[in-house]
Each structure stands twice: as C-alpha cells, then as structure tokens.
Amino acid sequence: MSALELVLLLLTASVLVVGLFRSVGLPPILGYLLVGALAGPHALAFIPDTDEARHFAEYGIVFLMFSIGLEFSLPKLFSMKRLVFGLGAAQVAFTVLGVVSFAWLFGLSFKGAVAVGGAIAMSSTAVLIKLLVERLELDSTHGRQVVGVLLFQDLAVVPFLVVIPVLALGAEESMEALALAAVKATVALTVILYLGPRMMQRWFHIVAMRKSPELFMLNVLLVTLGMAFATELAGLSLALGAFLAGMLISETQYRYQVEEDIKPFRDVLLGLFFVTIGMKLDLTLVFSDLFFVLATVLFILIGKFVVAAGASRLFGSSPGNALRVGLWLCAGGEFGFVLMALADAANLIPDRILQIVLAALLLTLLTAPIIAHYADRIVLRLVPSEWLLRSMQLTSIAAQTLATDSHAIVCGYGRNGQYLGRFLENEGITFIALDLDPERVREAAAAGETVVFGDAGKRETLIAAGIARASIVVVTFVDTDAAMRVIHLANDLRPDVPVVVRTFDERDYDKLSTAGATEVVPESLESSLMLATHALVLLGVPLNRVLKRIRQLRGDRYHLLRGLYRGAEHLAEEAVSEAQHKRLHSVTLAPGAWAIGHRIDEFRFEDVRVEVSAIRRRGIRALEPSSDLAFESGDVVVLLGEPAELAKAESRLLKGEAGLLKRPSVREEKRG
C-alpha cells in the first residue's frame, strides 16, 4: 500500500467513525482507537502495520507535545505551584510506585513496570477539562486541584519520553544513557529558556510584521519541527523539542494565534496516532483474557482513586473534595497510550501484558464521563459532612438575602456580571451574585460586593438566593447548556419571575426562548446595534437624546465600570497581558496598618500609578470616596491599577514605605 492510499484509507475510516462518535457525545479519541482496532492487522487487516503509519503517528506526538508546551506559561505554573508540584507530583509518584510494586510481584520486569506505571498514572486532560467546563466546576476547589494534577501529568510526560527508550538498554548502558540524557536536557533547557524567549519574541515579531498568514503558518511549522529535529540531533526525543518550542512561544503574545494555526495539524496527525495505537489491539487476545482486562480496569480505577484522594486529603482538602478529586482522576488518559507505544517500541512489555493494559486504559477512558457525572452524588452518599458543608454554604447565601425583597439574582460574576452589578447598584436595586470562582468571590465580597460562592445550576442554591422573593434572574455567562439548567429551575421554582440570558450570537436564541427565557441578549447583535448607532450619527441621523445619555454615562460613571476582580481563569490571560490591563484589588486595613489615620489626598505616589476606586466601612460601600476621607481600622480599600502597581500600593498601605506623604497625617494635625 502506498503512502497516499494509506492516508486516504485512514482519513475515510476516521471521518465515518469520529462523526458517529461525535453525534452520540463520545470523545473522538475512542473513535480513532476503534478504527485502528477494527481495520488493523489483528482484525479486518485493511490497514497494514507499516513504517509510514508509525511516522505519521510520531508527528502526531510532536504536535501534541507542542500544544501542551503552549499551555505551560511560567506565571501560571508559579501561581499554582502548590497544586502542580505538590499535589500533582504526589499523585504521579505514588501511582507509579504502587503500579511498579504490584507489577513486579506478578513477574513483570522492573523496566516494564516503570513504563506501565507511567502510563497508568496519566489521566485525560482533554476529556476532564471539557467536563469541568461543561459542569461549571473548573473554578471549584476540586476543579482547581484536578487541573493542577493534570498540568503536572502533562509535564511529567516529558521525562518519561526520555526515560522509557533508555530503559531498553542494559543496566550499565542505561545509567550512562540516563546521565548523558539528563546532562543534555539540562543544557538544552538552560540555553533555550535563558536565550530562547527573547529570540523567539523578536523572530515572531519580524515574521508577523510581514502580515502574511501563509508565512506565519510556515514559520510555526518551521519552529516546531526545527526544535524537534535539534533535540533529536542532541540524542533526545522529537517530542521534547516540540514541547520546548511550545513553551517558548507561550511566553510571547502570539501564542493564541499559533495555537489556532497549529490545531488542524495537531488534530489530524494525533488522530492518525491513535489509529496506530488501536492497530496494536488484538481483540481476539483481549476477549480471551477478558477476566484479566476487567481486573486491571478495577485495579486502575480503585488504585488511582485511593492515591489521588489520599494525596488531596494530605494537602488539606475536606473529605468531600478529596473524594471528588479521586473520582475525577481515577480513569486513564491519552498520554497512557503514548507511553505504552514507546514501551512497545522498546520491547519492555510482553505482548499479552500490552494488550491487557491498552484495553484496560481504553475502558477506563470510556468510564471517565460517567464517573464525573455521578461524582457529586457519590460524595454526598459517602461523606455525611458534605451535607453539613452544603447546608452551611446555602445558609451563607440565604443569610445575605433574608432582608432583601424584589432583588435581582445575577448568575455569574465575571466581566459582564460585574458591569451589570454596578449598574443595578447605581439605580438602587439590590442584587445577589452567584459565582464559582473562589478567588473572585473572596476579593469582591471583601470589597462589599454582594457575591457568594454557589452554583446557579442547582435548585437548592437558587432557593437559598431567595428566588421566591426575587424580581429577576440574569444569566451573565455564555454557556447554553448551563443557562438552560438555570432557566428550567427558575421556571419550575418561580414561573412568574423573568429570566434574562446572555448568549454569544443568535444561533441559540430560539432554543433559549423556547426553554422559557424572557429575554435573550445576543452579544453579536448588541455590538452590531452599537456600530449602527455610531454609523447613523456620522451620517447625520438625529439621535440626540440617545447620544446625550451615552455621553453622560461615560463621562460621569465610566470610571466605576473599569477594572475587574481577577478570577482563576484569568491567570493564563495575565501571563500575556498582565502589564497592559488594569484590575481591581481589595485591601483590608487591619489594626496596625500604616495607612490608618491618613487621608486619601495625602497619598501622592511618586512611582505607583493606582487610584482608590471605593472604600467599604462598617458594611457601607462608598463608590466615590472623597479626597479628604481618612482611613480607619477595618476599612476595605478597593484599588484600581495594573497588577504590579497594585502590589506596591498594598505594601505601602499596610507597611508605610518612604516617599508617600506630602502633608502631616490627621493624627499629627490633632496633636499639633
């Protein structure tokens, strides 16, 4: 079979099967594996196990590792270092140790056991992140822990890619090869990470200045494959070079464009890689060893659950959250297939063991969405304290709404939710906002915003938020499925309460309206209306009253709309644009803080560019604090500025560094 015939056959089979899997909501990776298993040499033998197919698969791994490198921004890793390098490292290390000990007892060689342990330790980043986003649990406590572990697992693949081929050598040769590989990797990392970011930034700037999409695409391919080739020449793997190339580009402002450009190549070649993995599955052998396959499935699910839950508990999680982390991470992942392919190429594992492990990983991957769906119910059944914690959370929400009537319930307190909240506040309308980002909730609540941690897609949360007394429910996040849940619950609990829903464009307008939304606000339509308004004004259409109102709002109140409380999902964005966007930050003046007794107008920062946006005192929030207002103990000062400037300003408010005051403080004036 020629290379062209092989590609056409793979593409035809993949289109048919992946299309079928997409239509029933299953991950496409399963479709690719099924294509390989059915059409491979062990079944229908439509696709031969040739060198051409393996070469395609190798390039799939290259582009996969490049994409993983794009996700590893250093600021993001640093901000989650405890979860990534603490919890994540513990999960991988204990899982590998457990698998190695168990496999060694059953006669598998130590080298083969290490390869199997690394494969089983991995979970599916693509599947789990998608599920967390769909269930609005990405910013929950267990969601952030799951993401931290997945980040470390992706990072841990790199040393496994280096170690597994070396394990095929003899004992002495292995030690020498590992030591040499470690030295090479250290030198490569030092040189690339020290000199690379600046050079990559300048090079991509030169290419981008030509304003040619074709040139930009060619440059991305050149950098990816060039770095992979360079590391291969150094005796390391192609995947390591691609990973380093992705890391370098992730530190530039071009990472998002690169990610979009590389995605078609990555998805197609990665799909062909999983087809080749499926080709390794001998279904006859798998069915003959079905008992051992199912036993391995149980071993993986139970073992990884115990390790992940135990590690989470050691890092301070509540019993309920620890169980959630264990349930989310107990299944296998796509990198397990990558490592098993390397182990097979290095002849570290007998064919029978390879078949059993591959089949078990495939079955656990199938169970991942099911386990995630029932995780919360399982935790509530197994952990009695979860009912108490859930009750305390709902009590906290209810406590903030007991004295309110005819209030608004704002579902989601991101960018749009915060803007809406300030408009409502300006009109004297009380509201309570529900959000699942703990960092955003903490900052906003400290500044006096009526925002609480809660999932608007749960019946008990809406009841606690006072939907029985609410005058309106507003869904500010763009997630059609989650918005549908809120609409159904709101209509069930209060059929007469209006529900306003935000959506990206008009494609879901009919769907949301039919579900019961009173108003659906498509962003694309609203932006078009604003464009039309400006265009009509420039054409001489008399819209004076509208323009007057818009000018008044922008002139008088625009500064109240600037800045956002940072949430966990903004960490990756800040890695690129942290120095260019202002945000809000709340600082509590505890007893002994240096600023107590000083007036706002006394602060003339010589090198710090921030402004006092608001002050909360004894539960009352002053949106426009006067310049002669003196700070008091217990005040919450809301600052507006760039992240680096906010850190300096907070330090000076609390510690009182030199160069701040131009006039004596209120206390000194009284003593004088």
Side-chain angles (χ1 to χ4, degrees):
M1 181 179 292
S2 68
L4 179 59
E5 290 173 332
L6 174 64
V7 171
L8 288 175
L9 184 57
L10 288 173
L11 289 176
T12 302
S14 299
V15 166
L16 295 176
V17 177
V18 173
L20 175 63
F21 273 61
R22 283 285 191 186
S23 64
V24 296
L26 291 174
I29 177 178
L30 302 178
Y32 290 121
L33 291 169
L34 182 62
V35 167
L38 294 179
H42 299 296
L44 301 177
F46 289 156
I47 305 175
D49 188 10
T50 62
D51 290 337
E52 288 84 357
R54 285 190 288 272
H55 289 324
F56 283 125
E58 193 169 12
Y59 283 114
I61 299 175
V62 166
F63 284 102
L64 173 63
M65 293 305 298
F66 178 77
S67 299
I68 295 299
L70 282 176
E71 297 295 326
F72 276 89
S73 66
L74 296 179
K76 181 179 181 180
L77 283 179
F78 182 78
S79 67
M80 300 181 68
K81 57 183 180 295
R82 185 173 180 273
L83 294 178
V84 176
F85 299 104
L87 179 59
Q91 186 271 335
V92 172
F94 286 125
T95 303
V96 172
L97 286 175
V99 173
V100 168
S101 303
F102 188 81
W104 208 5
L105 289 175
F106 281 82
L108 188 62
S109 69
F110 175 77
K111 297 177 179 179
V114 170
V116 173
I120 291 177
M122 301 297 139
S123 302
S124 177
T125 302
V127 173
L128 295 185
I129 293 294
K130 182 175 182 291
L131 290 172
L132 284 170
V133 171
E134 289 177 350
R135 296 173 59 84
L136 298 179
E137 297 179 16
L138 189 63
D139 297 320
S140 62
T141 303
H142 68 275
R144 298 190 70 181
Q145 290 190 0
V146 169
V147 171
V149 173
L150 292 174
L151 285 173
F152 185 84
Q153 289 179 0
D154 292 344
L155 192 60
V157 170
V158 176
F160 276 116
L161 291 174
V162 176
V163 169
I164 289 178
V166 172
L167 291 176
L169 305 174
E172 294 184 2
E173 293 176 326
S174 296
M175 295 301 297
E176 293 177 2
L178 282 174
L180 182 60
V183 171
K184 290 179 179 178
T186 303
V187 172
L189 283 169
T190 303
V191 172
I192 291 173
L193 295 180
Y194 181 73
L195 300 176
R198 197 170 299 174
M199 296 175 59
M200 193 68 69
Q201 174 73 29
R202 292 177 179 174
W203 176 248
F204 266 84
H205 177 71
I206 293 172
V207 173
M209 287 294 291
R210 301 299 176 270
K211 299 180 179 180
S212 170
E214 297 87 353
L215 180 61
F216 193 85
M217 173 71 75
L218 289 171
N219 181 60
V220 172
L221 294 175
L222 172 64
V223 170
T224 306
L225 298 178
M227 287 285 290
F229 179 68
T231 53
E232 187 183 41
L233 285 181
L236 302 171
S237 67
L238 290 168
L240 177 61
F243 176 79
L244 293 175
M247 280 194 68
L248 291 180
I249 296 175
S250 73
E251 298 302 314
T252 71
Q253 67 265 39
Y254 304 103
R255 59 172 292 189
Y256 298 107
Q257 182 62 43
V258 170
E259 190 172 12
E260 288 300 315
D261 287 346
I262 210 72
K263 190 175 181 180
F265 296 95
R266 181 199 66 189
D267 291 346
V268 171
L269 293 174
L270 192 59
L272 296 180
F273 163 73
F274 285 118
V275 170
T276 61
I277 294 296
M279 290 165 56
K280 296 180 182 296
L281 275 172
D282 187 344
L283 296 179
T284 304
L285 186 58
V286 168
F287 282 112
S288 66
D289 282 328
L290 187 59
F291 172 79
F292 293 102
V293 170
L294 296 178
T296 306
V297 169
L298 290 177
F299 171 75
I300 293 173
L301 293 177
I302 296 173
K304 290 185 68 177
F305 166 77
V306 172
V307 169
S312 177
R313 192 80 174 98
L314 287 175
F315 276 78
S317 292
S318 65
N321 277 325
L323 288 184
R324 287 187 182 91
V325 171
L327 289 169
W328 276 84
L329 293 172
C330 66
E334 56 269 10
F335 275 124
F337 298 107
V338 174
L339 298 183
M340 290 302 293
L342 285 177
D344 180 50
N347 294 317
L348 295 177
I349 306 173
D351 187 59
R352 184 186 178 196
I353 302 297
L354 176 70
Q355 297 295 329
I356 291 174
V357 175
L358 285 176
L361 286 175
L362 176 58
L363 290 175
T364 61
L365 190 59
L366 277 169
T367 64
I370 301 172
I371 295 173
H373 179 73
Y374 290 101
D376 202 48
R377 300 181 190 179
I378 296 172
V379 171
L380 289 174
R381 182 174 292 273
L382 296 179
V383 185
S385 61
E386 275 297 296
W387 287 104
L388 178 60
L389 292 174
R390 181 70 59 85
S391 300
M392 291 174 61
Q393 178 187 337
L394 296 176
T395 302
S396 173
I397 298 173
Q400 297 210 31
T401 62
L402 285 176
T404 61
D405 194 14
S406 300
H407 61 287
I409 298 177
V410 179
C411 305
Y413 205 59
R415 190 180 303 272
N416 290 274
Q418 291 178 41
Y419 290 161
L420 172 62
R422 288 165 201 166
F423 276 118
L424 294 174
E425 197 171 46
N426 290 339
E427 297 297 328
I429 300 172
T430 57
F431 72 92
I432 181 169
L434 304 171
D435 198 270
L436 286 172
D437 189 324
E439 177 66 17
R440 181 188 296 133
V441 171
R442 185 190 65 79
E443 287 251 356
E449 308 280 359
T450 52
V451 54
V452 293
F453 185 86
D455 185 357
K458 293 183 177 179
R459 174 184 295 269
E460 58 269 23
T461 304
L462 288 178
I463 294 174
I467 191 172
R469 305 181 306 277
S471 57
I472 193 170
V473 175
V474 185
V475 180
T476 66
F477 46 75
V478 180
D479 187 326
T480 302
D481 293 333
M484 293 282 286
R485 288 200 298 271
V486 176
I487 294 169
H488 287 307
L489 287 173
N491 289 337
D492 186 38
L493 295 168
R494 270 282 306 280
D496 60 318
V497 70
V499 181
V500 179
V501 181
R502 170 187 167 217
T503 185
F504 182 71
D505 54 33
E506 62 277 6
R507 284 180 297 181
D508 295 322
Y509 186 93
D510 293 336
K511 183 179 180 181
L512 292 168
S513 297
T514 304
T518 309
E519 291 289 347
V520 180
V521 182
E523 285 189 353
S524 57
L525 176 61
E526 289 301 314
S527 61
S528 299
L529 291 175
M530 288 302 298
L531 288 171
T533 299
H534 288 288
L536 291 172
V537 169
L538 293 174
L539 290 170
V541 178
L543 295 175
N544 296 331
R545 293 182 62 184
V546 176
L547 289 175
K548 182 179 179 181
R549 181 58 178 162
I550 291 175
R551 289 196 188 100
Q552 180 183 355
L553 288 173
R554 287 176 172 169
D556 297 342
R557 296 293 183 182
Y558 184 67
H559 72 281
L560 299 177
L561 303 178
R562 289 183 297 165
L564 295 170
Y565 298 104
R566 182 188 64 178
E569 79 274 11
H570 293 149
L571 292 174
E573 178 183 336
E574 287 177 0
V576 179
S577 58
E578 188 176 66
Q580 299 154 359
H581 295 290
K582 293 184 178 181
R583 68 177 178 87
L584 295 173
H585 177 59
S586 56
V587 180
T588 302
L589 300 182
W594 183 88
I596 296 172
H598 294 296
R599 291 192 295 264
I600 292 178
D601 61 358
E602 295 173 31
F603 282 77
R604 296 291 184 266
F605 297 99
E606 295 179 352
D607 60 337
V608 180
R609 296 179 297 278
V610 298
E611 70 176 80
V612 179
S613 176
I615 291 180
R616 179 191 179 193
R617 177 174 298 168
R618 292 185 289 275
I620 301 174
R621 188 172 188 268
L623 289 176
E624 296 182 76
S626 59
S627 60
D628 60 348
L629 181 68
F631 294 112
E632 295 182 5
S633 178
D635 281 355
V636 178
V637 184
V638 182
L639 302 174
L640 173 65
E642 296 174 359
E645 306 296 310
L646 290 173
K648 296 178 184 177
E650 179 178 7
S651 177
R652 294 186 176 183
L653 283 171
L654 300 178
K655 300 177 182 178
E657 298 177 10
L660 285 179
L661 297 182
K662 302 302 181 184
R663 296 163 46 184
S665 69
V666 175
R667 291 174 180 168
E668 292 170 341
E669 286 183 350
K670 289 180 179 179
R671 287 198 299 269

